[in-house]
Amino acid sequence: MRRLWIVVTAVVIAALGLATPAQAASLQEVTGFGTNPTNLRMHLYVPDRLAATPALLVAVHYCTGTGPAFYSGTEFASLADQYGFIVIYPSATRSGQCFDVSTPGALTHNSTSDPAGIVSMVRYVQQRYGTDVNRTFVTGASSGAMMTNVLLGDYPDVFAAGSAFMGVPFGCFATTDGSMWNSTCSSGQSIKTPQAWGDLVRAAYPGYTGRRPRMQVMHGVNDTTLQYPNFGEEIKQWTNVLGVSQTPVLTDTPQSGWTRTRYGSTAVQAPVEGISVAGTGHNLPLAGMARLAIAFFGLDGSTPPTTPPPTTPPPTTPPPTGGGACRVTTTVNAWNTGLTAQVTVANTGTAAVNGWNLGFTLPAGQTITSGWNATYSPTSGAVTARNVSYNGTIAAGSSVSIGFQANHTGNNAAPTGFTLNGATCSTT
């Protein structure tokens, strides 16, 4: 009877759906993720509910910190639960646990230092979980904020945007004496023209002509560790890199004592955004700032589905070459003499497109100054956008997003006449 009771109870529990629940998401260490010249450690947070093609965020800790400490001390994991994106938490392992943002090996696209290890983590997750390569972002505090600037400069082909809490411009912390601390920079005395700051970024990846990542910077006015003038120098650098005016087009107060300025667009996802915090030192992010970063990245616009994350890597070989109908959606954010255009190309056919050229016509008076996720030629009139190495395949039923920044002489309308590999696309 006792055995019978155990069997019956088990059957009833199973029938009622009361079996042992699935394990909740938790931070997991990953090893063997690829090239890692400085022996960084990698921790990964994959929420229980992932978006269909999830975005990826790299969250980089401060000096003396670790990836697990940044995981537990910030809101990014809980926001990942809410919106279905994946978070990588790198850990520096050298004495002092600061990231290398100083050596020549760190300040180049072909990095031989910490940036190389972090990008290996990114590529591991992109392949393992099939993330959207067009939505890879980075954020960090202090040393991690400096690394955010460095990663955007070194790898504009990898990251779509960054958010830096208490950082310094790319190249500001550069040293040649073997030291990894630059007192001139930390004290806010490294002052350059926007062009000079922008040239430092461009020199990190000579010949690169693709899109440049957007940048959000936040800083406490009373910061005595990485002093407040660095905030303005970051804005000078990234407005120059992105080709927008240093004069803000919007100034507001998201919270008492916080001053937010946007450059190049009034939109939430402006090319450059700055938030300075009165009466605050070197202790960001404050409550609510992680959510502002997520909004700037555009990660807060959808509810993740209830499907679990994949348990096997996605296929590494593309489906057969094909093609079919296409649909193009454009969003334009314009200001005085400039604009940004986001273009989403959906493959509505039944076969994948492998290798694509998107043709379109710019309105008269518009000239492309920079772009992302594609190469553009020529820069006015009848333009062709060609895929880059990481987004050449558009699977049936899938889409790819590209974009560009342009000057205009008054006509800020969207492009027209879209064709994909010569076939006319519908527009929405």
Side-chain angles (χ1 to χ4, degrees):
M1 289 296 294
R2 181 174 179 273
R3 290 176 183 168
L4 179 60
W5 173 250
I6 291 172
V7 171
V8 171
T9 301
V11 172
V12 171
I13 288 174
L16 293 176
L18 299 177
T20 303
Q23 184 177 1
S26 62
L27 191 68
Q28 301 292 328
E29 184 163 10
V30 177
T31 59
F33 49 81
T35 301
N36 185 20
T38 51
N39 298 314
L40 302 180
R41 294 177 66 185
M42 172 186 177
H43 285 82
L44 185 66
Y45 184 75
V46 181
D48 289 326
R49 297 182 303 153
L50 277 179
T53 306
L56 176 59
L57 174 64
V58 180
V60 193
H61 67 72
Y62 42 84
C63 285
T64 75
T66 65
F70 206 56
Y71 160 77
S72 60
T74 59
E75 301 174 78
F76 295 112
S78 62
L79 291 167
D81 287 334
Q82 185 174 355
Y83 296 114
F85 58 88
I86 296 173
V87 190
I88 295 171
Y89 295 92
S91 291
T93 56
R94 64 177 55 83
S95 176
Q97 293 169 280
C98 297
F99 289 93
D100 178 10
V101 296
S102 305
T103 69
L107 299 173
T108 177
H109 175 70
N110 296 311
S111 174
T112 57
S113 189
D114 292 350
I118 293 173
V119 169
S120 291
M121 299 177 196
V122 167
R123 288 174 174 153
Y124 170 89
V125 175
Q126 287 175 340
Q127 180 177 347
R128 172 68 178 79
Y129 291 97
T131 64
D132 185 345
V133 296
N134 298 316
R135 295 194 301 149
T136 301
F137 307 97
V138 59
T139 187
S142 193
S143 178
M146 293 192 280
M147 178 54 72
T148 297
N149 279 266
V150 166
L151 287 169
L152 294 197
D154 284 357
Y155 293 97
D157 54 332
V158 173
F159 296 96
S163 179
F165 301 92
M166 314 173 299
V168 303
F170 176 96
C172 184
F173 239 63
T175 59
T176 56
D177 60 0
S179 166
M180 295 179 65
W181 186 264
N182 186 318
S183 296
T184 302
C185 179
S186 65
S187 62
Q189 298 178 51
S190 185
I191 308 298
K192 302 182 187 296
T193 65
Q195 183 69 34
W197 281 126
D199 287 345
L200 286 176
V201 170
R202 289 181 283 269
Y205 192 174
Y208 177 75
T209 58
R211 68 100 172 93
R212 291 285 179 175
R214 299 178 298 108
M215 178 55 115
Q216 178 188 61
V217 295
M218 307 190 200
H219 222 104
V221 173
N222 296 345
D223 194 328
T224 58
T225 302
L226 299 173
Q227 294 196 14
Y228 183 65
N230 283 301
F231 172 75
E233 299 303 296
E234 286 176 288
I235 290 174
K236 286 161 63 174
Q237 181 172 68
W238 292 106
T239 52
N240 180 266
V241 168
L242 288 159
V244 299
S245 171
Q246 284 184 262
T247 302
V249 296
L250 177 144
T251 302
D252 66 0
T253 305
Q255 289 195 30
S256 177
W258 300 12
T259 301
R260 175 168 57 192
T261 48
R262 288 179 178 156
Y263 304 83
S265 171
T266 60
V268 173
Q269 296 168 38
V272 179
E273 179 175 275
I275 298 174
S276 61
V277 185
T280 298
H282 197 70
N283 61 344
L284 303 184
L286 302 176
M289 284 187 166
R291 191 168 288 277
L292 289 179
I294 295 306
F296 180 75
F297 296 151
L299 295 179
D300 61 347
S302 62
T303 301
T306 57
T307 54
T311 57
T312 58
T316 57
T317 56
T321 300
C326 49
R327 182 179 64 253
V328 174
T329 304
T330 57
T331 303
V332 175
N333 290 310
W335 58 96
N336 297 336
T337 59
L339 60 86
T340 58
Q342 191 76 19
V343 180
T344 300
V345 186
N347 177 4
T348 57
T350 58
V353 175
N354 287 326
W356 50 264
N357 295 326
L358 182 72
F360 56 86
T361 301
L362 285 179
Q366 290 188 17
T367 303
I368 294 175
T369 57
S370 62
W372 51 93
N373 296 343
T375 59
Y376 298 83
S377 179
T379 57
S380 61
V383 177
T384 299
R386 295 176 173 84
N387 70 271
V388 289
S389 60
Y390 52 80
N391 65 359
T393 297
I394 312 176
S398 297
S399 62
V400 64
S401 291
I402 65 174
F404 60 84
Q405 184 169 311
N407 295 328
H408 68 83
T409 58
N411 187 345
N412 57 18
T416 57
F418 288 96
T419 61
L420 182 65
N421 292 349
T424 301
C425 299
S426 63
T427 57
T428 58

